Each structure stands twice: as structure tokens, then as C-alpha cells.
């Protein structure tokens, strides 16, 4: 952005002796000086100029002034300077009224003030402004670097930036959570709800996800922080209107410093993750002492209770959004000092038994299925990992979280794949399909541990009838019900099939 000075600064130069005839906006920015005697100089202007003219082409104008001024205002000039004592002894009434009507600054340039003097004076002001901006930019950069060194996590940078901007600054997580609270003289003007909504809109664009919304007196900007593929956070700033290049440069410096701080934090996090992964491998190998020693090298303490549950989380679908959700969950709970690590596109964690359900709920919210192992001592983590795997295998869309205790309550069938168990049962008991009496007798026989008397009492039949039915069952199925293994087969098969219709006693 090119340097600029305000019109009031130009009017304050005593050597020029400029006189404001109609100063509707004395703080308007002057970017350059242009001179023209054309009756329509607008096509040759860029905007922001102080246009100087003797009004030579406007000799005798009355109504023409309105269109002339309207075209200049549409082009965006900051002011019109009319030299008096030449074509016009004083600013024409028509010109004054046109400037009033279209809200254009009008100044009178005395006969003794050459246009070149005005141009040279403004050039000097712009050059000085340029030098001042450079000095300020250098000073702002030093102050921000000092703030970054004072707080290694970069948290002091946005607070110092807010003061330099005379606006506001804050740092937000990708989900809109505040990482560094808003600060600065205009911190109340940062609308966090609007910022969170804007983050949701721009976040899919990754590191290109910058945003700026301008108002009449300020601009609110969001800048992604990070040097990898995904922003680790976002810097929100409020820049007052008219902020110069030095302050805009300060914002860029702050983004770079926060990115470096985030990169250092990411490197520490990666190192800690590698240590946790190694410690987890040692736990699974039964070397809990070595695992604790490895965790001692982490930059942050990791809490491993004496008794733990292994919690396994896997994406319920092969979707990037789920993996991103689990990655975000990993980063969130790492800061809580949990023993957690990535594993096979999912997560594995060792947590106190009373924290397992809460972690499982967070993983399900991220789109995962979760298995919770049995509570074990640290030296038995391998067993806890196996039971968590068995529980994970029993999850489904309608039951995304399964604990090993639930599997245990379902008996041995809880360990079998349902379709395989059903096929086994149908094959073994197919010869009994046409005889509900035989199937009911078999179930009662197994329930009463082979007591024919109790079976007869339950079914309301004679003991000889029970003995005859059991012989038929053995003949049809090939089972030998005096053999314990055969009884187990029959019991599993009966449990894997729907219960038979009750047989009415005879």
C-alpha cells in the first residue's frame, strides 16, 4: 500500500497558504497531486488525488460545475484545489455549491502559490510518511519478536499486536474455541459468534483460508496459522480504518511468528507422540517399568494410573472427515496428559476406568466405533488390549461403543461372530427343525444337567418319554449327550437360535 497524508496535514503547511473553502472531510487521504485544465479530467485520474486547476476551461461556467464535480467525486479524488487570481478571482458560486451538494473538499490556492510548490510539499510529506511507516514497521517487528521470545508458545504476540494496531486481536482454534482471549482497546468489537461462523465457512480451504470483512470504521480479518497442510489456529484482528502499511506489516509478522511457535509446538507434539507410541509398545510387551521411563522423557507429563482400561477407537467409515475428527480428538486429549496414541488410522488409549466412557463418547462424536477393555494392572495391559479388540469387534451402527463387561454378560456367544454362530446352529439342529418337542426336550435336558426326572416334571411327560426323545435327538443329530463337549455344542447352538415355541404338557 502506497503512503498517504491527510488533507489537514497539507492545509497546515504555512508556506503554501492554502485556504479551505469547503472542507467537508479534512481527514481525507491525499495519495498524490494531479494538475489538469481539461473540462473533464476524470478519465485520467485514479482516485485519492488532490486535483489542482486554474479553471481555464471553465471560464463562464454556471450549470456546468455540477457535472464537473459529480464526475470527480465518482472518480474518488480527495479534494479540488482552485487557483485564484488568474481565471477566477475567487471560487465561483456554482463551483462552491456543486462541492457542497456532492460533498467534495474545495480549497483555494492563492495566486502566489505555484502548483509545483504544492506538488513538492506533498511529495515531501509522502516521503516522510514513507520513512515513518518504515521506522514504525521495524519497531513493530522488534516488539513482536520480543513478545514471541518472552512467551515461547507465542501467546504474548497477539496481545502485543492488539496494542500496536490500536484495535483488537485474538487466537482461535479451528473449531472457534478461544486459545488467546481478545485484547486491545477495541476487543469488545470482536464478535466471537461471527468469527466462529466465518471459520466454519473458510476452514476447508486450509492454509489459504484468510478472510476480511470491512465496516465503516474497521476491518475484521482472519488469518490461518501454520506451515503444514492444515491450520493449527487462526489469528483474528480488528484493524481500525486507515491503518497504514506498518500496522498491516505487523499483522503479517504476527502470523509468521505464531506459525513458527505453532511449528515448534508441533515438533514437540510429534516427539511426544513417538515417545507415547514406544511406551505403549512396551506396555503391550509387559515392560511397564521401561514404558514409564520412556514417558519420563516427554515434554509434558503423562498420567498413567495403576489400573487402566484400554480404549480402542476406529473410524466407523472410511471417510477423511472421521480421520480428521479423531486427529482433532487426539490433539485435544493429549493436552490433558492422557496416555493416548494413534494406531491403524484410529486411537488407542490407556485411561483410568472412570474416564473410559467419557473418552469413548468423544470418539463416537468424531465418527468412530469404540471398544473398552477390562480394567487391568499396568503389567497386564496386553490382556486389556486384547479384550478391547474383542469388544471393538462387537460394535455396530446401532451400538458404536461396546465394553468387555457387556461381552462377558452375553456369555460365550458374545465372542462368536453372529452369522457364523447361527450357521453352526442351523446345521447342527436342522434334523430337529420339524419337531419342536424334541428341541424343547433337548433344551430342558441341558438346563437340568441331564436329569430326566426334572425334564419330565417340567414338560409334564413320563420319564420314559423323555428317555425316548433324547435317544431320537442323539440319533438325528449325531450328538452323544453323555459327553460334556457334545453338551456344550448343543447348548451353544440352542442359544444362537430363536427360542422355540413352548410345548404344551400332555
Amino acid at each position: 500500500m502506497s503512503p498517504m497524508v491527510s488533507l489537514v496535514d497539507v492545509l497546515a503547511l504555512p508556506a503554501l497558504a492554502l485556504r479551505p473553502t469547503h472542507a467537508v472531510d479534512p481527514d481525507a487521504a491525499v495519495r498524490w497531486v494531479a494538475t489538469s485544465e481539461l473540462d473533464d479530467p476524470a478519465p485520467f485520474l485514479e482516485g485519492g488525488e488532490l486535483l489542482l486547476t486554474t479553471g481555464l476551461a471553465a471560464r463562464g461556467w454556471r450549470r456546468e460545475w455540477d457535472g464537473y464535480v459529480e464526475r470527480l467525486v465518482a472518480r474518488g479524488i480527495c479534494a479540488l484545489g482552485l487557483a485564484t487570481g488568474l481565471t477566477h478571482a475567487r471560487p465561483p458560486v456554482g463551483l462552491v455549491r456543486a462541492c457542497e451538494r456532492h460533498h467534495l473538499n474545495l480549497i483555494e490556492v492563492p495566486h502566489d502559490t505555484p502548483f509545483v510548490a504544492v506538488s513538492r510539499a506533498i511529495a515531501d510529506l509522502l516521503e516522510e510518511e514513507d520513512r515513518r511507516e518504515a521506522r514504525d514497521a521495524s519497531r513493530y517487528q522488534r516488539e513482536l519478536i520480543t513478545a514471541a521470545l518472552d512467551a515461547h508458545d507465542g501467546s504474548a504476540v497477539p496481545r502485543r499486536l492488539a496494542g500496536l494496531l490500536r484495535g483488537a486481536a485474538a487466537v482461535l482454534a479451528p473449531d472457534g474455541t478461544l486459545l488467546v482471549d481478545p485484547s486491545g482497546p477495541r476487543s469488545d468489537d470482536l464478535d466471537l459468534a461471527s468469527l466462529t461462523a466465518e471459520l466454519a465457512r473458510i476452514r476447508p480451504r486450509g492454509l489459504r483460508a484468510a478472510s476480511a470483512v470491512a465496516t465503516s470504521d474497521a476491518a475484521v480479518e482472519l488469518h490461518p496459522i501454520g506451515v503444514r497442510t492444515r491450520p493449527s489456529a487462526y489469528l483474528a484482528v480488528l484493524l481500525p480504518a486507515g491503518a497504514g502499511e506498518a500496522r498491516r506489516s505487523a499483522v503479517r509478522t504476527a502470523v509468521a511468528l505464531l506459525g513458527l511457535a505453532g511449528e515448534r509446538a508441533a515438533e514437540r507434539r510429534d516427539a511426544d507422540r513417538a515417545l507415547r507410541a514406544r511406551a505403549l509398545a512396551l506396555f503391550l510387551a509387559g515392560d511397564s517399568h521401561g514404558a514409564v521411563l520412556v514417558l519420563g522423557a516427554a515434554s509434558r507429563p503423562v498420567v498413567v494410573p495403576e489400573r487402566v482400561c484400554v480404549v480402542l477407537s476406529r473410524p466407523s467409515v472410511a471417510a477423511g472427515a472421521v480421520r480428521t475428527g479423531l486427529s482433532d480428538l487426539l490433539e485435544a486429549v493429549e493436552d490433558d496428559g492422557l496416555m493416548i496414541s494413534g494406531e491403524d488410522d484410529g486411537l488407542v488409549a490407556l485411561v483410568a476406568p472412570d474416564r473410559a466412557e467419557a473418552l469413548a463418547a468423544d470418539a463416537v462424536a468424531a465418527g468412530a466405533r469404540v471398544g473398552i477393555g477390562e480394567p487391568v494392572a499396568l503389567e497386564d495391559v496386553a490382556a486389556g488390549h486384547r479384550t478391547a479388540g474383542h469388544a471393538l469387534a462387537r460394535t455396530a451402527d446401532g451400538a458404536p461403543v461396546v465394553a468387555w463387561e457387556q461381552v462377558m454378560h452375553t456369555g460365550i456367544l458374545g465372542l462368536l461372530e453372529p452369522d457364523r454362530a447361527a450357521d453352526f446352529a442351523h446345521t447342527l439342529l436342522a434334523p430337529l427343525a420339524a419337531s419342536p418337542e424334541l428341541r424343547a426336550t433337548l433344551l430342558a435336558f441341558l438346563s437340568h444337567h441331564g436329569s430326566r426326572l426334572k425334564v419330565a416334571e417340567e414338560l409334564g411327560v413320563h420319564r420314559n418319554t423323555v428317555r425316548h426323545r433324547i435317544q431320537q435327538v442323539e440319533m438325528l443329530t449325531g450328538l452323544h449327550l453323555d459327553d460334556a463337549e457334545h453338551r456344550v455344542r448343543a447348548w451353544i447352538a440352542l442359544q444362537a437360535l430363536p427360542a422355540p415355541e413352548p410345548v404344551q404338557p400332555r
Side-chain angles (χ1 to χ4, degrees), residues 427-429 431-432 470-483 486-487 489-490:
T427 300
L428 182 63
L429 300 181
L432 307 183
I470 293 301
Q471 289 173 351
Q472 284 185 287
V473 169
E474 290 181 326
M475 181 183 65
L476 292 170
T477 62
L479 292 169
H480 301 288
L481 296 177
D482 289 334
D483 187 312
H486 284 226
R487 290 190 187 187
R489 291 183 195 173

Side-chain angles (χ1 to χ4, degrees), residues 59-186:
R59 188 187 301 273
W61 276 10
R62 287 183 174 83
R63 296 180 179 178
E64 293 87 348
W65 285 115
D66 191 79
Y68 177 81
V69 170
E70 184 178 18
R71 291 189 294 272
L72 294 180
V73 169
R75 199 62 177 174
I77 71 168
C78 72
L80 175 63
L82 178 68
T84 54
L86 295 170
T87 307
H88 302 278
R90 64 182 60 84
V93 174
L95 173 59
V96 175
R97 289 178 178 174
C99 290
E100 292 174 348
R101 186 178 303 112
H102 296 289
H103 306 289
L104 177 65
N105 291 312
L106 176 63
I107 62 176
E108 180 181 347
V109 183
H111 179 272
D112 294 335
T113 301
F115 284 178
V116 69
V118 177
S119 297
R120 185 183 302 114
I122 291 179
D124 290 343
L125 286 176
L126 291 172
E127 185 177 354
E128 176 55 32
E129 176 66 14
D130 200 18
R131 287 194 295 267
R132 187 186 65 80
E133 286 280 352
R135 291 193 300 269
D136 286 347
S138 179
R139 177 170 62 85
Y140 295 165
Q141 186 179 67
R142 289 195 302 271
E143 292 190 26
L144 290 170
I145 291 174
T146 300
L149 294 175
D150 288 343
H152 295 293
D153 60 357
S155 60
V157 171
R159 288 191 282 270
R160 187 69 196 100
L161 176 66
L164 296 175
L165 298 180
R166 300 172 190 166
V171 178
L172 294 85
D175 63 357
T177 303
L178 276 174
L179 300 178
V180 179
D181 290 340
S183 58
R186 296 190 59 178

Side-chain angles (χ1 to χ4, degrees), residues 315 317-328 345 366:
V317 293
V322 176
R323 288 193 294 273
T324 297
L326 288 178
S327 177
D328 290 345
D345 290 331

Side-chain angles (χ1 to χ4, degrees), residues 170 172 176 178 180-182 187-199 236:
L172 294 85
L178 276 174
V180 179
D181 290 340
S187 58
D188 292 341
D189 293 336
L190 278 180
D191 185 345
L192 297 181
S194 298
L195 290 173
T196 300
E198 184 68 2
L199 278 179

Side-chain angles (χ1 to χ4, degrees), residues 168-408:
V171 178
L172 294 85
D175 63 357
T177 303
L178 276 174
L179 300 178
V180 179
D181 290 340
S183 58
R186 296 190 59 178
S187 58
D188 292 341
D189 293 336
L190 278 180
D191 185 345
L192 297 181
S194 298
L195 290 173
T196 300
E198 184 68 2
L199 278 179
R201 185 184 71 83
I202 67 175
R203 187 183 176 193
R205 299 206 298 266
L207 288 175
R208 299 186 301 275
S211 170
V213 178
T215 63
S216 59
D217 66 341
V220 177
E221 301 177 354
L222 278 169
H223 297 272
I225 297 171
V227 295
R228 302 193 183 192
T229 56
R230 290 197 303 145
S232 59
Y234 291 83
L235 173 65
V237 298
L238 185 146
L239 274 167
E245 178 59 23
R247 289 186 172 85
R248 296 186 177 279
S249 174
V251 174
R252 295 192 292 270
T253 298
V255 170
L257 291 172
L258 290 170
L260 291 175
E263 182 65 14
R264 289 196 299 268
E267 290 173 354
R268 291 194 299 270
R269 183 180 292 115
D270 288 345
D272 286 349
R273 285 180 180 175
L275 290 172
R276 282 194 300 273
R278 177 56 184 159
L280 180 61
L282 291 173
F283 276 125
L284 293 175
D287 186 2
S288 58
H289 178 70
V292 172
L293 289 178
V294 168
L295 291 176
S299 64
R300 293 186 177 186
V302 178
V303 179
V304 183
E306 293 182 0
R307 288 186 66 77
V308 296
C309 281
V310 178
V311 179
L312 292 179
S313 305
R314 296 289 183 271
S316 57
V317 293
V322 176
R323 288 193 294 273
T324 297
L326 288 178
S327 177
D328 290 345
L329 175 61
L330 175 62
E331 293 182 7
V333 298
E334 280 175 336
D335 294 336
D336 293 337
L338 291 183
M339 178 60 195
I340 188 167
S341 180
E343 181 184 86
D344 298 333
D345 290 331
L347 302 178
V348 57
L350 305 184
V351 299
D354 61 354
R355 298 195 64 177
E357 290 187 3
L359 179 60
D362 291 339
V364 169
R369 292 183 179 180
V370 183
I372 302 175
E374 65 175 322
V376 295
L378 285 179
E379 55 269 22
D380 296 325
V381 166
H385 187 264
R386 288 195 300 273
T387 56
H390 297 323
L392 181 62
R394 303 296 297 178
T395 59
D397 289 341
V401 178
V402 173
W404 174 249
E405 291 180 356
Q406 296 171 258
V407 178
M408 289 293 294

